[in-house]
Amino acid sequence: MKNALLVVSLLAAAVPAAAWDRLDGQYSGVRSFHTEAVTDEASWRALWARHAPGQPVPEVRFDSEQVAAVFLGQTQSAGVRVEAEVTADPLDPSRVVVFYRPVRPSRPGFAATVMASPFVFVKTRRASETVFEADAVMSVPAPGGRAPSNPVDERRMRTMLDGLADPSFD
């Protein structure tokens, strides 16, 4: 047993503190809905102390990075998680946009009824402004993958467009 703990400790020590890009989970000390872009060490330490009191603060190089944090607040269902994608603003490359949404378990009724407070921290490049967008549709292809197919039924779309050509004001 002691050998297993020693191996786990050595493995944890071998992983550099700066090796994280995303941290997420079910239980946070931040119990209300909150989004925040953290751009300096003091703010990061303060937020981490609220999130995980007494735990070591993950390393961030604030000269070139920042942290986007999303807390969903308390939920009464385990298994809810926060899905987040970060992208550069297409109109202003100095801005970062964080699209996020809660994701419920795929099998309804399967999750336990417990108090949880889902969260996600995403390390991003440093930006002049960070914008958070809720409930956005996220369909980003994997690197080297194909773009998602268009789920729109072309017949329904044609019917809608034909209706627009002859508007009725009855």
Side-chain angles (χ1 to χ4, degrees):
M1 180 67 172
K2 287 183 182 180
N3 289 339
L5 290 175
L6 178 62
V7 170
V8 170
S9 298
L10 289 174
L11 288 174
V15 177
W20 71 278
D21 289 329
R22 178 180 306 257
L23 300 171
D24 60 359
Q26 294 290 308
Y27 303 102
S28 172
V30 179
R31 303 269 192 245
S32 59
F33 173 80
H34 180 68
T35 61
E36 184 174 346
V38 184
T39 59
D40 63 84
E41 185 74 27
S43 299
W44 175 232
R45 289 189 177 283
L47 180 61
W48 189 264
R50 287 182 25 224
H51 163 68
Q55 297 298 315
V57 180
E59 185 179 318
V60 179
R61 292 185 308 264
F62 285 105
D63 57 331
S64 61
E65 300 172 328
Q66 66 181 23
V67 176
V70 178
F71 301 93
L72 292 184
Q74 286 190 324
T75 66
Q76 292 187 3
S77 176
V80 176
R81 62 184 176 81
V82 184
E83 187 174 277
E85 291 296 328
V86 179
T87 186
D89 186 322
L91 301 177
D92 183 358
S94 68
R95 291 172 28 142
V96 169
V97 181
V98 179
F99 296 101
Y100 68 92
R101 68 178 175 166
V103 177
R104 309 258 177 243
S106 60
R107 299 169 86 183
F110 185 70
T113 303
V114 296
M115 295 305 286
S117 45
F119 68 92
V120 65
F121 295 103
V122 181
K123 201 185 292 186
T124 73
R125 67 170 174 78
R126 191 154 176 93
S128 63
E129 183 181 2
T130 303
V131 178
F132 291 87
E133 294 285 339
D135 294 326
V137 174
M138 291 181 280
S139 184
V140 179
R146 292 182 39 219
S149 62
N150 187 352
V152 176
D153 181 357
E154 289 183 30
R155 287 173 290 149
R156 286 181 49 205
M157 183 60 79
R158 177 56 45 208
T159 303
M160 272 188 350
L161 292 175
D162 288 345
L164 291 176
D166 313 334
S168 173
F169 298 102
D170 293 342

